[in-house]
Amino acid sequence: PGTSTPSVACVAAQGTRAQEETHAANAAGKTDMEQVGMSIVSEASGGVSDVPVIDIGPFLAVEAAGALAGGSSTNLPDAVLDVARRWRQAFAYQGFVHIAGHGVPDGTIEKTYDAARRFFSMSDAEKGDCDLGLGYIARGYTKRGVERVSATDSLPDGADMLGAERARPPDRLESFTIRNRSRDEMPAGLDGFRETTLGHYNEMTRLLRSILRLTACSLDLPVDFFDPTHFRDDGDGPCCNGDCAVKLNFYPGIEDGEEPPPGQLRYGEHTDYSGFSIVWQDHITCGPETAKSDLKPPKGGLQVRLPDGEWIDCPPLPGAFVVNAGDLIQVWTNDIFLANTHRVLLPPPGKGNDRITLAFYSGPNSKTVFEPLPTCCGPVRPPRYNPITPDEHVERKVAASNR
């Protein structure tokens, strides 16, 4: 055991100035958004990322061996504490990481990606049979032109929301949401779609529990601190009793001669609404998604805003998911973890730039009250947020986006 290793909490001060600068940059971003007169187009092809990469394998190995039992995060191996420190530093500065060593089988990713591709290749009428007309976050299909996430840009507790009047045009994407409930809408005629997407949901639930336990370690909390707010155990592993969903996203390319509305993006500037998001980006235009080298993703991808206001590309890395924190994680951690602003750019015109991502969004059960955690407060860092429930926050965000 690494008993001589300093507490994870000792790195907290390193993120403080960056957090304050990020708030300023996010506020300035609203002005930038209002003044945009043309769409931002990405030429980036991927392969290099300034977003940190963290191999969480050492933590998962200790977790699988049962060495986290008992709840203490103080007497763990040095390798595990190092992962926890790097996790906290990354979220203090950027709010985004690539994770390797996550344990999700390649086959699960490949089958889910194929299921998404098959669904989005269906006719509009066939996809429309799964559209409840309720917009994103319900379940089933959401057609292009419904979401406008730039309208949700706000402070972490939902204050000072931008609103549709000052936002970009509706986003250039369509999506399909699976919430692992009996009433989930599923497309007819796609063999294996339900089993494949629910299999991915279960893998993401397992990974989420590990991420939350790693987060607890990084905040000097009991390892299983977040378990009751997100999970119950049905005997076959963790079962999400919070607000979790798989969202399959399809970003159409731009045809030659097509003119998108001025200012439109594939997905506008925003922060995610609730807990951690786990995203598999479109890794390659031709070949297996889980290829370990020579990635050539479609153009028009994810960008993350740094604390100084600079936008950086976040292209996919071989075998890695992207993880980012949502608004309520920032509230819970009293600004120690950032819910950072990000967006998805338009591609240049031409074939081959359609894009699919496999996203998993998480949040706690509706009984959870978000307020700054005790280990995230102190004399020099008093609580910065009033208590808030996930339902009221997410409902306000979704209402703004779906207008």
Side-chain angles (χ1 to χ4, degrees):
T3 53
S4 63
T5 305
S7 166
V8 175
C10 70
V11 304
Q14 299 179 21
T16 302
R17 183 178 177 186
Q19 292 152 11
E20 299 300 337
E21 291 174 348
T22 298
H23 291 315
N26 288 347
K30 291 188 177 183
T31 303
D32 296 341
M33 199 184 307
E34 294 161 22
Q35 295 175 350
V36 167
M38 64 178 63
S39 301
I40 302 172
V41 174
S42 169
E43 298 285 350
S45 59
V48 178
S49 177
D50 291 325
V51 172
V53 184
I54 298 179
D55 182 355
I56 65 171
F59 183 87
L60 298 189
V62 171
E63 182 184 31
L68 300 181
S72 174
S73 59
T74 58
N75 294 315
L76 296 173
D78 288 350
V80 172
L81 291 175
D82 180 63
V83 172
R85 277 194 298 272
R86 293 179 61 209
W87 187 258
R88 179 165 176 158
Q89 278 187 302
F91 280 98
Y93 182 68
Q94 288 181 326
F96 272 78
V97 297
H98 296 278
I99 58 167
H102 47 71
V104 178
D106 288 356
T108 297
I109 297 167
E110 296 289 355
K111 288 192 293 185
T112 307
Y113 184 87
D114 179 67
R117 174 65 72 185
R118 287 188 293 131
F119 174 78
F120 291 118
S121 297
M122 297 173 74
S123 69
D124 288 344
E126 291 172 315
K127 290 182 289 189
D129 288 340
C130 299
D131 188 351
L132 299 177
L134 300 175
Y136 161 60
I137 220 167
R139 58 190 186 279
Y141 177 64
T142 300
K143 65 183 179 180
R144 187 169 134 189
V146 172
E147 280 196 78
R148 191 198 304 238
V149 290
S150 62
T152 70
D153 192 26
S154 73
L155 297 177
D157 61 357
D160 194 25
M161 195 172 297
L162 187 66
E165 295 77 13
R166 296 185 292 160
R168 291 184 181 275
D171 300 309
R172 189 182 178 88
L173 91 158
E174 52 190 270
S175 63
F176 191 94
T177 301
I178 302 104
R179 305 187 69 84
N180 196 20
R181 297 174 183 169
S182 59
R183 296 180 298 163
D184 275 345
E185 298 293 319
M186 292 291 177
L190 282 186
D191 292 342
F193 184 88
R194 175 187 290 274
E195 293 77 12
T196 295
T197 54
L198 291 181
H200 188 79
Y201 181 101
N202 291 334
E203 281 292 330
M204 293 298 99
T205 300
R206 175 197 61 76
L207 180 56
L208 173 66
R209 184 171 67 172
S210 297
I211 285 173
L212 287 169
R213 289 177 171 181
L214 174 57
T215 299
C217 285
S218 77
L219 297 172
D220 294 329
L221 292 165
V223 173
D224 58 357
F225 179 86
F226 297 108
D227 282 17
T229 60
H230 288 75
F231 308 107
R232 66 180 187 275
D233 199 321
D234 61 3
D236 295 319
C239 180
C240 183
N241 68 354
D243 186 23
C244 299
V246 166
K247 186 185 179 198
L248 312 176
N249 296 308
F250 175 64
Y251 301 100
I254 299 175
E255 301 293 331
D256 288 326
E258 181 184 358
E259 291 289 341
Q264 185 183 55
L265 297 181
R266 279 179 155 171
Y267 219 40
E269 294 90 343
H270 68 289
T271 56
D272 288 351
Y273 308 157
S274 187
F276 285 104
S277 302
I278 308 170
V279 180
W280 181 267
Q281 300 190 71
D282 203 333
H283 277 53
I284 196 165
T285 55
C286 183
E289 276 292 302
T290 53
K292 300 300 184 279
S293 61
D294 299 323
L295 299 188
K296 295 180 180 179
K299 295 179 180 179
L302 176 66
Q303 283 195 325
V304 177
R305 187 155 59 201
L306 294 179
D308 64 4
E310 177 189 0
W311 287 98
I312 59 169
D313 292 323
C314 183
L317 299 181
F321 285 90
V322 172
V323 178
N324 64 283
D327 294 335
L328 296 181
I329 297 294
Q330 182 162 339
V331 171
W332 232 348
T333 62
N334 205 32
D335 292 347
I336 289 176
F337 279 35
L338 297 182
N340 211 353
T341 304
H342 52 289
R343 64 189 181 188
V344 182
L345 302 187
L346 289 181
K351 296 182 179 180
N353 286 322
D354 291 350
R355 192 158 200 156
I356 287 174
T357 61
L358 315 177
F360 181 79
Y361 299 116
S362 72
N365 60 58
S366 59
K367 297 179 182 179
T368 305
V369 176
F370 280 87
E371 55 188 329
L373 296 165
T375 60
C376 301
C377 302
V380 297
R381 181 185 285 272
R384 300 177 179 181
Y385 300 100
N386 294 320
I388 187 173
T389 65
D391 286 359
E392 63 181 306
H393 178 78
V394 173
E395 287 171 6
R396 287 185 62 216
K397 289 271 189 169
V398 171
S401 175
N402 284 340
R403 289 181 180 174

